[in-house]
Amino acid sequence: MTTDESIRPFRIDVPQADLDDLHERLARTRWPHELPDVGWTYGVPTDYVRELAEHWRTGYDWRKQEARLNAYPQHVTDVDGQPVHFLHVRSPEPDALPLVLVHGWPGSVVEFLDVIGPLSDPRAHGGDPTDAFHLVIPSLPGFAFSGPTPAAGKGSTDRYAEVVAELMRRLGYDRYGTQGGDVGSVVGPQVGRIATEHVVGVHVNALMTLPGWDVDSSGWSEGDQARLAGLGGWEAHGGYAAIQSTRPQTLAPALTDSPAGLLAWLVDVFATYTNPGIERPDDAVDRDALLTDVSVYWFTGTIGSSARLYRESESWGAELTSSGVPTAVALFPGDLTLRPIAEQQNHVVRWTELDRGGHFAAMEAPDLLVDDVRAFFRDLRPGS
């Protein structure tokens, strides 16, 4: 049996009937009772979700956002029976370095819309043209237009890395870099481990470093001690992860059937991890960008399959070995990356602590992320 490695054009075109259905469902939402005077301590306030839902129904323009996404070349290819969707933005600079951008959960290619221009065409954005990148931005298997996953075991971070490496091979990129946060911060280094000879550098933000219970932190810096203490309280905010790592299929019908439920679930995660100095997530992330991310999950019906990564991934908290590939870590406010563990598992050659932005760096502080990515890869380009 021959393997189809063809790469086909793709265009997002949500049927109007699906848009009408979304609006009707939002209008018919059965809202729950809400306790007074508890703020965010019981989760995302219902009044806040109602406000966002009303904007989603009456003020938000999906067609405008759809057109923005379709302004970039998109394609789909099949990898072992799994459709893989991706944006492929070639730089006008002929010597640009290929770079794959890997989103997280609950993210999508929408995360990167504000960095595509500056990274691919720095000349047009006040930058140095020698810092240009050819960008490949995949929807991970099970997410959005690469979903759902067809079988158990297809939603692990290790599998994602294999798919990314295969995609870059099919595109003919022999030497390239990776960048990603959250899930992308696991996938990028793993691509470096399985395709070491092809990866020139790995840039991560929101790098997940989960220590073992018996970790000796006595010699750690004050900052790392504080971040370790923060990880100790993570369980109080990680209820979504506990459910998705044990009962993703039980959760899926509710979030697939109710747009208000999906909105509340995802907004709560944004509220937890955006800049800790900003209470409302749509003050940290553009409101329409946030709703575009939620809309992508809604229209593709992939919230259930995307959540399977928590059930199927085994690399989080595992003892990982360094690939030897040069790695840069960008630490944004609120992130709990532990430097000693990051350096144990990766060949860290650059460590930058930023004072603005948060976990969703490409959406919260795209300018800072772009600057750090450019600076890191500057010395890793051919001829440098």
Side-chain angles (χ1 to χ4, degrees):
M1 183 175 66
T2 60
T3 301
D4 181 9
E5 295 190 0
S6 64
I7 295 173
R8 305 175 296 280
F10 182 90
R11 184 173 178 83
I12 303 169
D13 186 14
V14 171
Q16 185 59 42
D18 290 357
L19 267 173
D20 295 340
D21 175 67
L22 168 63
H23 295 158
E24 290 168 7
R25 287 172 184 260
L26 288 169
R28 297 196 314 269
T29 300
R30 294 178 61 198
W31 294 104
H33 173 264
E34 182 169 24
L35 289 171
D37 305 320
V38 297
W40 291 75
T41 59
Y42 278 60
V44 57
T46 298
D47 282 350
Y48 179 60
V49 181
R50 292 187 74 157
E51 177 189 333
L52 288 179
E54 183 61 16
H55 178 65
W56 197 10
R57 186 177 73 89
T58 63
Y60 170 78
D61 186 348
W62 164 256
R63 292 302 184 200
K64 177 181 177 181
Q65 303 302 323
E66 185 180 66
R68 187 182 182 197
L69 284 162
N70 282 331
Y72 299 108
Q74 298 175 68
H75 307 272
V76 66
T77 188
D78 295 325
V79 180
D80 294 337
Q82 173 72 49
V84 178
H85 161 264
F86 61 99
L87 278 62
H88 189 193
V89 183
R90 295 276 301 179
S91 172
E93 307 297 338
D95 296 327
L97 176 69
L99 179 68
V100 57
L101 303 178
V102 187
H103 65 76
W105 190 95
S108 64
V109 298
V110 173
E111 284 185 45
F112 298 110
L113 287 177
D114 288 337
V115 303
I116 290 176
L119 287 177
S120 65
D121 191 4
R123 187 192 301 268
H125 291 80
D128 186 337
T130 62
D131 286 331
F133 297 93
H134 298 307
L135 299 178
V136 178
I137 312 174
S139 297
L140 293 173
F143 287 74
F145 309 102
S146 294
T149 43
K154 300 290 188 179
S156 72
T157 51
D158 284 353
R159 179 57 183 156
Y160 297 162
E162 293 169 358
V163 168
V164 168
E166 171 62 15
L167 177 59
M168 297 304 279
R169 183 195 69 80
R170 289 188 188 182
L171 292 172
Y173 289 133
D174 184 60
R175 298 287 284 166
Y176 55 88
T178 74
Q179 198 290 320
D182 190 76
V183 177
S185 79
V186 179
V187 175
Q190 184 62 14
V191 174
R193 294 184 185 99
I194 65 174
T196 308
E197 68 277 17
H198 299 294
V199 180
V200 300
V202 172
H203 186 284
V204 292
N205 62 283
L207 176 64
M208 286 181 272
T209 49
L210 302 178
W213 292 111
D214 57 349
V215 64
D216 179 8
S217 62
S218 57
W220 290 11
S221 69
E222 259 184 52
D224 284 314
Q225 295 281 2
R227 286 186 281 273
L228 180 62
L231 279 171
W234 180 81
E235 290 182 0
H237 305 287
Y240 73 93
I243 293 173
Q244 291 177 178
S245 64
T246 55
R247 295 291 187 271
Q249 201 62 41
T250 303
L251 178 67
L255 302 189
T256 304
D257 187 61
S258 168
L262 175 66
L263 179 62
W265 193 256
L266 298 191
V267 164
D268 188 72
V269 178
F270 273 89
T272 299
Y273 294 111
T274 46
N275 189 316
I278 302 175
E279 183 179 62
R280 291 168 55 109
D282 64 327
D283 288 333
V285 171
D286 177 79
R287 174 178 285 200
D288 282 357
L290 191 158
L291 289 174
T292 299
D293 187 63
V294 177
S295 296
V296 165
Y297 280 93
W298 175 258
F299 289 129
T300 59
T302 54
I303 187 61
S305 60
S306 73
R308 292 175 196 152
L309 81 96
Y310 288 82
R311 179 72 172 80
E312 298 184 357
S313 295
E314 298 178 353
S315 57
W316 297 348
E319 292 187 9
L320 303 173
T321 58
S322 172
S323 65
V325 174
T327 300
V329 179
L331 192 69
F332 286 83
D335 281 337
L336 299 175
T337 303
L338 303 172
R339 186 166 185 170
I341 295 179
E343 292 180 337
Q344 176 185 329
Q345 298 178 348
N346 305 276
H347 178 41
V348 177
V349 299
R350 179 181 174 88
W351 180 275
T352 312
E353 299 190 17
L354 292 309
D355 61 3
R356 178 164 53 84
H359 186 86
F360 301 93
M363 302 177 82
E364 295 183 70
D367 57 330
L368 297 184
L369 183 64
V370 165
D371 287 346
D372 203 64
V373 169
R374 287 174 176 173
F376 170 60
F377 283 103
R378 203 163 282 147
D379 294 333
L380 299 177
R381 293 173 178 270
S384 297

